[in-house]
């Protein structure tokens, strides 16, 4: 699932080197992007973040594991 989220996020941001995607054992995919790119990932009223979460949810349908996506600001 990290590859899917990595693909989606890197095509949305300007600073592709600052994108970090990691996954925990309990199905939480954590996305970290540059502070300048946070608006591009979240979108107006969270529409892009919601769309990313919807795509991830649809991709894991029928699978054994469910995933959630957390978006963090890079430090």
């Amino acid at each position: 699932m990290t590859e899917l989220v990595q693909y989606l996020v890197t095509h949305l941001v300007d600073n592709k080197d600052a994108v970090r995607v990691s996954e925990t054992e309990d199905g939480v995919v954590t996305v970290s992007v540059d502070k300048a790119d946070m608006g591009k990932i979240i979108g107006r009223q969270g529409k892009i973040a919601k769309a990313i979460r919807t795509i991830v949810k649809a991709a894991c349908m029928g699978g054994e594991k469910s995933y959630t996506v957390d978006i963090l600001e890079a430090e």
Side-chain angles (χ1 to χ4, degrees):
M1 197 55 61
T2 56
E3 295 86 13
L4 173 65
V5 176
Q6 180 86 26
Y7 177 81
L8 292 171
V9 172
T10 53
H11 283 81
L12 292 172
V13 298
D14 290 331
N15 189 1
K16 296 177 186 341
D17 296 331
V19 175
R20 302 284 180 256
V21 179
S22 61
E23 181 182 332
T24 62
E25 301 231 351
D26 58 343
V28 177
V29 179
T30 305
V31 179
S32 176
V33 296
D34 190 29
K35 185 176 183 178
D37 290 325
M38 283 298 289
K40 293 179 182 180
I41 296 299
I42 295 174
R44 290 189 179 172
Q45 299 178 350
K47 289 184 179 181
I48 294 175
K50 185 177 179 182
I52 292 171
R53 290 182 177 116
T54 302
I55 292 169
V56 168
K57 189 180 234 183
C60 68
M61 290 285 288
E64 299 172 2
K65 197 172 187 181
S66 64
Y67 294 90
T68 58
V69 178
D70 288 341
I71 300 171
L72 305 174
E73 182 179 311
E75 298 187 20

